[in-house]
Amino acid sequence: MPLTSPVPPLDLVRMFPGVEAFARTATRLHPRPGTPSVSGSHVGGMLLWPRDEPWPACPGPHVVRTEIEVPPEFAGLLMRPSPEVMTGLAQQVPGFVGTMTTEAGTVVLGREVVSEPTASPLVPVAQLRAADVPDLRCPSGADVLQVLWCPNDHPADAPTGLPMLLKWRTASAVVDPLDVAPAPVVARDQDRLPRPCVLHPEQVTEYPWWQELPDELGRRIRDFDDTRGFDEDSYFSVSQAPGWKVGGCPSWEVSDPYPMDCPHCRRPMDLLLTVDSTEDRGGDAWLPVEEAHLRTSHTDHTPTGVTVGRFARLRIFVCLTCPDTPMGQSLQ
């Protein structure tokens, strides 16, 4: 079933003449739970991977969450712990981050660095075919993008960003595909293990963040948005689609825009893929017409099960002109 974005509730071209010159297309992927084919476009699930090609892995070390059960007779002390108790826990529990109480009992939460004897296989995140995704631009000779990452956190002194691999390949060259991906040795949480989803690609039009527009035009947009109430449609809510998408415009609501330049040629990289923690960012401006009868909820609109950062967006940028297709990441 196709999924279709509704007619925008604001006519941005009429309201802000000149903004049309900066329009870009994006392809909303609309991932929904399903059983994807190994050769098709999908999130999660098995990739079209040659049997004789080594599967990539992360050597670590990894930071994993620990849970220490608290005996019932002491659980009451952690309901409203004193500063002394919190200080003691911080001294005794590696990477202490707090406590959690559920119906099963109370646990003390920590984080520890773990070094595995063998490297941990990367997890398949997405496979996208240029034939399915209009805004997917591939390097010369490739027609498929495969995205893999390590699902674990890494020590603070590790390179920034998720350890990730972008694999560009030609689908017809894979004649003897691998049947099953190797499982990671350790997985931080379920929120970086994508559920298998089929895609319903839809090309839409987006407009840049106000600070990336000419000064006078951007200021008019910002002044307009400053007049909008919390539940009212705005340039911010209408100009860019939420959810997983290819291409389009990055948003910069957490920080001012900063350069995403290629480390080799120093030219601006292109926004390749947005991995979003939700398919809905509030309001109905982008709720698919076919799902309008379903009210938005955390459960309904996190079909991939993936959460990045604190319910944020991970944007992946690439340079398609330099060898090896350099990549950059931005989390907002």
Side-chain angles (χ1 to χ4, degrees), residues 117-256:
T118 59
S120 185
L122 299 186
V123 171
V125 176
Q127 178 170 278
L128 305 175
R129 301 193 318 158
D132 300 330
V133 183
D135 288 286
L136 179 62
R137 295 173 55 211
C138 298
S140 178
D143 58 10
V144 173
L145 167 64
Q146 296 172 331
V147 183
L148 304 92
W149 67 27
C150 177
N152 304 292
D153 283 335
H154 290 72
D157 58 354
T160 57
L162 280 174
M164 178 181 296
L165 173 67
L166 302 183
K167 181 67 178 181
W168 303 91
R169 68 168 76 251
T170 304
S172 60
V174 183
V175 295
D176 184 20
L178 189 66
D179 295 324
V180 180
V185 174
V186 59
R188 167 188 173 269
D189 278 316
Q190 294 298 306
D191 58 11
R192 288 192 198 154
L193 301 177
R195 301 169 186 150
C197 288
V198 296
L199 306 182
H200 305 81
E202 177 205 13
Q203 192 171 47
V204 297
T205 299
E206 295 192 337
Y207 299 93
W209 185 253
W210 69 274
Q211 288 170 296
E212 295 189 311
L213 292 166
D215 290 344
E216 190 275 334
L217 177 58
R219 177 50 57 187
R220 283 195 287 119
I221 288 171
R222 178 58 188 265
D223 290 344
F224 170 78
D225 273 12
D226 284 345
T227 68
R228 309 302 286 172
F230 178 76
D231 59 347
E232 293 182 292
D233 292 310
S234 63
Y235 179 90
F236 172 74
S237 66
V238 173
S239 61
Q240 296 177 13
W244 290 56
K245 59 186 178 181
V246 170
C249 304
S251 61
W252 300 99
E253 63 265 38
V254 176
S255 71
D256 289 335

Side-chain angles (χ1 to χ4, degrees), residues 271-323:
L271 177 58
L272 172 68
L273 173 67
T274 298
V275 174
D276 203 335
S277 298
T278 176
E279 288 295 294
D280 173 65
R281 287 276 164 186
D284 296 333
W286 291 97
L287 182 65
V289 173
E290 295 80 5
E291 296 179 342
H293 63 289
L294 303 174
R295 288 307 305 146
T296 59
S297 71
H298 179 78
T299 301
D300 290 341
H301 288 266
T302 55
T304 67
V306 169
T307 302
V308 289
R310 297 182 177 179
F311 220 62
R313 299 182 184 98
L314 174 66
R315 289 87 60 85
I316 303 168
F317 295 79
V318 294
C319 176
L320 293 173
T321 58
C322 285

